[in-house]
Amino acid sequence: MKYIALTRKYRPQTFDEVIGQEHITKTLKNAIKSKRVAHAYIFAGPKGVGKTTTARILAKAMNCVNGPTQTPCGKCASCIEIVSSESVDVYEIDGASNRGIDEIRNLRENVKYASIRGKFKVYIIDEVHMLTTEAFNALLKTLEEPPAHVIFIFATTEPHRVIPTILSRCQRFDFRKLSIQEITNRIIYISKAEKIKIDEDALFLISKKADGSIRDAESMLDQLASYSEKAIKKADVVTVLGLCEADVYFELADAFISKESSRCLDIIDRTINNGYDLHEFVIGCIEHMRALQLVKIGADLEELRYNLQRYKTQVQKFDADDLLRVLNIMCRLEVEMKRSTQPRTVVEATFLRISKLESSVRLSEIFDRLDRLESEFTKKKDKYLTLEDITEEWLSFTNKIKEKISYLGSWLAGAKPLKLEENRLTITFPCEGDFHKEYIESSNRAVIQEELKAYFGRELELFLKVEKKKEKSDYTKKDLLEDQIVKSAVTLLDGEIISTG
Ligand SMILES: [Zn+2]
């Protein structure tokens, strides 16, 4: 007997058989019923979710001997030819391999002629986003005035790469990824029909690995059915698909928690020696960390059902913030290793870094520490008034005096604070300030000292000098402050900087 791939053998033949895309099949059926089928459709969505299958069903529905019909018979010549890709009226073009303008020119020539057998000419262009700009433009001309008997169906996994002028001429349908449950149901259905025995763990692994693609799940089942002699077991799936056992991920997470760097490296070594794919392994790690994260926040998802108790136990040992950081680092690792010529080294370095991570400093903790630091700093400022403080405030201080005794304020504004020893403040006047100095010493010193106390909050004894030379002070309050901040920042954020940088 001729071997037929499961994906082909079980390909849905009617709209009702298409799984998980009811929002699309229902609309298409209604369009057929009300004779409102569009001339151009975009079928967007991930791989293996039924785009081309639905396109073929639409082609059959339009061209069936009973058509246009919501339920193509599957028995007439037109239906049979379309199923076996032999229809003269249904053209399937792979955008990825026919990127050229020539193919589209041919298509344009061809479009003009009426269909040969059926009622409609249906052009299914797969991966339409791969077409060249010239080909797109040629296609656009056809789309501007589509002949009444022509239907275009453009399938794409990357609709954002299809030029807007094409998109705007099409009715768009977005196909969705299938849930684990939907895929599981489908695999159970096919396994029963094919008399393939498969245990529950294996079933779950396949459904999860398929990542929403029914075609991928069916291909995996196909592959495993030929590999396993009697029943498909979890170990078979792990071997054939190059997956790692969940145990490995639990062990790795434990090693992260207990900061056992060498055990992390050992796990990588074992994984590679056992013939597992390193990239698959890292993806598995990400999934594990994500699962822990979901369990941590109490999410109740079907994919967690498996191993739930183990996740719950392990996640108790993980701080929520740490977990999020590890997950972030892992996601970056996945990108980095794809770019690297030394992926193993990248993985090792990352695991080492994770196993050496300091625990997350909580934001509340940071705020507490900042508060303490600030109050200490304020205290310090009260106690130790510095010359720099006075210098910085001098002009403002003299303005205050000016409000009371105008000439005195002006004179003092011309002076500069020179030094501060204990509570002895010396200010210096420019060389021509002898008169000011003497006058103040004789009549205003007490007033100024009072004002100093009011302004700076300290009892200060004032000494006056007349000098030309300016003393150099290169350590300003600003420097000090910056220094403080830098120091505090380094102290506070140490772990973060090292770990995520
Ligand atoms: Zn038919």
Side-chain angles (χ1 to χ4, degrees), residues 428-432 466-471:
T428 172
F429 286 88
C431 56
E432 69 276 19
V466 179
E467 263 180 357
K468 286 173 235 162
K469 223 174 90 189
K470 201 167 68 179
E471 281 217 3

Side-chain angles (χ1 to χ4, degrees), residues 60-61 63-67 69 71-80:
K60 280 200 297 184
N63 280 335
C64 179
V65 69
N66 306 324
T69 169
T71 49
C73 72
K75 292 180 185 117
C76 69
S78 170
C79 282
I80 289 170

Side-chain angles (χ1 to χ4, degrees), residues 80-118:
I80 289 170
E81 282 172 8
I82 292 172
V83 170
S84 57
S85 304
E86 284 160 5
S87 171
V88 284
D89 293 323
V90 177
Y91 304 84
E92 286 196 34
I93 299 166
D94 179 7
S97 53
N98 295 288
R99 302 189 60 210
I101 190 160
D102 289 344
E103 283 77 7
I104 300 299
R105 281 213 183 105
N106 288 342
L107 183 152
R108 278 177 62 194
E109 279 304 303
N110 193 292
V111 156
K112 290 182 209 156
Y113 306 109
S115 64
I116 295 165
R117 180 197 285 276

Side-chain angles (χ1 to χ4, degrees), residues 138-165:
L139 190 59
L140 197 59
K141 292 228 167 64
T142 312
L143 283 178
E144 274 164 2
E145 289 171 35
H149 61 278
V150 168
I151 296 170
F152 287 103
I153 304 168
F154 307 127
T156 178
T157 49
E158 297 179 53
H160 55 279
R161 286 175 60 190
V162 180
I163 56 171
T165 38

Side-chain angles (χ1 to χ4, degrees), residues 169-429:
R169 285 176 168 79
C170 300
Q171 214 179 93
R172 174 169 169 171
F173 287 122
D174 287 286
F175 286 67
R176 66 173 186 87
K177 276 188 177 186
L178 299 176
S179 70
I180 291 185
Q181 194 57 55
E182 284 168 327
I183 293 179
T184 304
N185 292 346
R186 180 68 176 170
I187 298 298
I188 290 174
Y189 170 79
I190 296 178
S191 310
K192 275 188 181 152
E194 291 289 312
K195 298 191 169 50
I196 298 169
K197 280 185 185 160
I198 177 164
D199 75 21
E200 205 184 321
D201 290 351
L203 189 61
F204 178 81
L205 278 183
I206 293 175
S207 305
K208 190 158 174 282
K209 181 76 187 120
D211 191 27
S213 163
I214 204 97
R215 185 174 64 213
D216 284 3
E218 289 167 355
S219 303
M220 284 186 250
L221 180 67
D222 220 340
Q223 204 181 344
L224 283 155
S226 348
Y227 174 85
S228 314
E229 285 181 3
K230 287 176 185 165
I232 301 173
K233 295 207 160 32
K234 181 176 146 195
D236 301 328
V237 183
V238 166
T239 309
V240 171
L241 303 182
L243 304 177
C244 293
E245 297 264 13
D247 294 351
V248 175
Y249 303 121
F250 279 103
E251 189 190 349
L252 181 71
D254 273 337
F256 285 161
I257 294 165
S258 53
K259 304 193 184 303
E260 292 170 87
S261 311
S262 62
R263 193 158 151 222
C264 293
L265 295 188
D266 181 50
I267 292 169
I268 298 173
D269 195 48
R270 263 189 285 144
T271 303
I272 292 171
N273 287 341
N274 290 337
Y276 295 121
D277 178 74
L278 192 60
H279 188 239
E280 286 290 340
F281 169 64
V282 169
I283 289 176
C285 296
I286 295 173
E287 281 171 2
H288 185 85
M289 292 301 160
R290 179 175 164 269
L292 288 174
Q293 184 71 45
L294 290 171
V295 171
K296 191 90 179 173
I297 60 170
D300 183 20
L301 299 177
E302 52 169 334
E303 62 198 274
L304 301 175
R305 192 186 51 196
Y306 191 74
N307 283 327
L308 183 60
Q309 201 43 54
R310 285 181 81 184
Y311 284 133
K312 279 185 175 169
T313 311
Q314 185 163 59
V315 86
Q316 283 171 1
K317 297 182 263 175
F318 246 123
D319 176 89
D321 296 334
D322 289 345
L323 194 54
L324 197 58
R325 284 162 78 203
V326 173
L327 188 57
N328 282 335
I329 294 172
M330 284 288 197
C331 290
R332 280 206 301 270
L333 166 64
E334 204 256 326
V335 179
E336 279 168 28
M337 71 181 292
K338 274 193 272 187
R339 284 198 299 242
S340 173
T341 51
Q342 301 286 334
R344 179 177 176 158
T345 312
V346 177
V347 177
E348 285 171 344
T350 305
F351 282 12
L352 283 181
R353 209 169 79 196
I354 293 174
S355 64
K356 288 182 190 307
L357 275 186
E358 291 300 321
S359 273
S360 295
V361 178
R362 291 180 179 284
L363 261 189
S364 58
E365 218 173 287
I366 291 184
F367 286 138
D368 282 350
R369 284 157 78 167
L370 276 177
D371 277 348
R372 276 204 304 276
L373 196 82
E374 193 185 32
S375 75
E376 267 172 36
F377 192 72
T378 314
K379 255 190 265 162
K380 218 173 172 181
K381 193 178 161 194
D382 286 345
K383 226 189 293 176
Y384 306 107
L385 181 69
T386 65
L387 182 67
E388 286 77 23
D389 295 332
I390 297 173
T391 305
E392 204 166 82
E393 292 293 319
W394 192 248
L395 192 64
S396 161
F397 169 70
T398 55
N399 281 336
K400 275 256 181 272
I401 298 207
K402 226 185 259 182
E403 286 168 17
K404 290 178 181 164
I405 310 170
S406 175
Y407 71 89
L408 186 60
S410 301
W411 290 354
L412 286 171
K416 283 191 172 61
L418 180 68
K419 61 183 172 186
L420 180 70
E421 290 162 327
E422 299 291 320
N423 61 341
R424 295 152 59 93
L425 173 67
T426 309
I427 62 171
T428 172
F429 286 88

